Amino acid sequence: EPEVTQTPSHQVTQMGQEVILRCVPISNHLYFYWYRQILGQKVEFLVSFYNNEISEKSEIFDDQFSVERPDGSNFTLKIRSTKLEDSAMYFCASSKDRTSEAPLHFGNGTRLTVT
Amino acid sequence: RKEVEQDPGPFNVPEGATVAFNCTYSNSASQSFFWYRQDCRKEPKLLMSVYSSGNEDGRFTAQLNRASQYISLLIRDSKLSDSATYLCVVNIRYTGNQFYFGTGTSLTVIP
């Protein structure tokens, strides 16, 4: 069964550094998402992406964050200058289309630790 | 007001017990509904979609009440392996394709 893949599985970075989290959504999916989950807390929406542009973003997704789909397969999340509070699990997800039978499929996540 | 609300629990039940989780949603434009399961430090995984007529998958039964904006998940004959957090997810597609998550309900099945 096709799956969403994310790399790296764990990223450690120093405060103020830039990080890029990478995702390969399922190939025939049209909608892409980034979520984050701070340890012990709920899953929080960051951004959704469709037709090569951001379709919606949350208050968390400020100017420090950006997303890109540089080619036909990768979907990346960049954090320009990381803060301690950016430490979390970051999940990429994709959805096939807008039908009722199109749930979200999640990748395994990238655990980001900012020191 | 939160889009999706769940009782966070925790629910601690003995093996073999029946347990039910409830979820309410605020937006009447919500169109699709799902239950996801999340194990500690893992990604959410789709457990089942929730259909208007209710649906069953083995020991799991999901119900939807659109009038009351309420979704439920019933687990019968609980197994130790059912211990996880169960997330209620609501999908709205009138503009874009957005998914709203509840905070999750924690279940521990005790031997």
Side-chain angles (χ1 to χ4, degrees):
Chain A
E1 186 177 322
E3 55 183 30
V4 177
T5 56
Q6 287 185 245
T7 54
S9 56
H10 192 188
Q11 174 90 45
V12 181
T13 190
Q14 287 191 324
M15 199 166 53
Q17 296 296 306
E18 174 183 286
V19 293
I20 297 177
L21 310 183
R22 302 181 191 280
C23 170
V24 179
I26 295 172
S27 62
N28 63 346
H29 283 195
L30 300 178
Y31 291 85
F32 314 121
Y33 305 80
W34 282 101
Y35 291 85
R36 80 170 186 191
Q37 187 174 33
I38 295 168
L39 188 62
Q41 297 186 26
K42 67 175 288 186
V43 174
E44 297 177 293
F45 168 72
L46 293 178
V47 65
S48 58
F49 194 86
Y50 170 72
N51 200 25
N52 285 317
E53 60 183 22
I54 290 174
S55 52
E56 197 162 337
K57 58 184 180 179
S58 72
E59 291 176 356
I60 302 168
F61 194 88
D62 61 22
D63 292 344
Q64 293 300 314
F65 291 86
S66 62
V67 289
E68 202 173 47
R69 187 155 163 83
D71 52 43
S73 59
N74 291 285
F75 179 50
T76 61
L77 174 69
K78 182 193 289 186
I79 309 174
R80 267 180 267 282
S81 178
T82 50
K83 307 181 185 69
L84 294 176
E85 55 264 36
D86 293 328
S87 295
M89 189 73 131
Y90 287 79
F91 292 111
C92 175
S94 67
S95 176
K96 186 176 180 182
D97 51 35
R98 292 173 67 184
T99 68
S100 61
E101 297 298 324
L104 278 175
H105 295 259
F106 284 86
N108 292 344
T110 294
R111 179 166 302 283
L112 176 65
T113 302
V114 182
T115 62
Chain B
R1 186 180 173 183
K2 293 179 185 174
E3 290 279 351
V4 181
E5 297 208 49
Q6 289 182 254
D7 179 349
F11 284 68
N12 300 315
V13 302
E15 248 182 311
T18 295
V19 62
F21 305 137
N22 302 318
C23 169
T24 56
Y25 59 95
S26 61
N27 193 331
S28 59
S30 301
Q31 294 164 280
S32 299
F33 310 89
F34 307 95
W35 283 101
Y36 280 74
R37 171 196 168 122
Q38 186 176 27
D39 292 289
C40 189
R41 296 177 179 255
K42 299 286 189 182
E43 77 276 18
K45 290 187 177 176
L46 179 67
L47 179 65
M48 57 198 302
S49 301
V50 186
Y51 302 121
S52 296
S53 54
N55 48 298
E56 191 173 303
D57 182 2
R59 297 180 294 108
F60 299 85
T61 300
Q63 297 272 349
L64 168 64
N65 184 324
R66 286 189 184 271
S68 302
Q69 296 183 190
Y70 169 97
I71 307 154
S72 66
L73 176 69
L74 184 78
I75 306 176
R76 289 182 300 278
D77 189 23
S78 301
K79 311 288 185 198
L80 296 178
S81 56
D82 293 333
S83 297
T85 296
Y86 290 83
L87 303 170
C88 175
V89 180
V90 167
N91 177 219
I92 299 176
R93 301 188 299 278
Y94 289 113
T95 55
N97 189 19
Q98 201 56 278
F99 294 82
Y100 297 91
F101 284 72
T103 53
T105 299
S106 173
L107 171 67
T108 301
V109 181
I110 304 161

